[in-house]
Amino acid sequence: MTNGIISTGSAEVDSIGMMDLSGNVIPNNWYLWILRDNGRPHHFAISLLGEIVYWYKPVEIRDEESGRTIGY
């Protein structure tokens, strides 16, 4: 447990888990920062990064009886 948060055992997954991401994992500001040489959003790179973030987003493990989170 790190800072009151249950650890997954992977620092990278724990870091991504601390990001406030819900629903769509592509934050709007990525369209302002991930750009092609001509200054337009690089949609392929943004989509790929969104998939990678999704793959490493921790999954809650809940107790079936109480519904409490018991791990990630």
Side-chain angles (χ1 to χ4, degrees), residues 1-67:
M1 188 177 281
T2 306
N3 298 330
I5 298 173
I6 299 170
S7 175
T8 63
S10 167
E12 292 81 6
V13 173
D14 292 345
S15 294
I16 291 173
M18 294 178 72
M19 296 171 74
D20 186 23
L21 301 173
S22 60
N24 189 353
V25 296
I26 299 177
N28 286 332
N29 66 352
W30 287 3
Y31 292 96
L32 301 174
W33 291 100
I34 303 173
L35 306 173
R36 294 182 170 276
D37 291 336
N38 65 6
R40 300 190 68 171
H42 197 304
H43 291 281
F44 178 75
I46 292 167
S47 295
L48 182 60
L49 180 59
E51 286 293 318
I52 293 168
V53 168
Y54 176 75
W55 294 336
Y56 287 95
K57 188 175 177 185
V59 177
E60 283 186 344
I61 301 170
R62 294 186 173 263
D63 181 280
E64 290 185 22
E65 292 180 17
S66 69

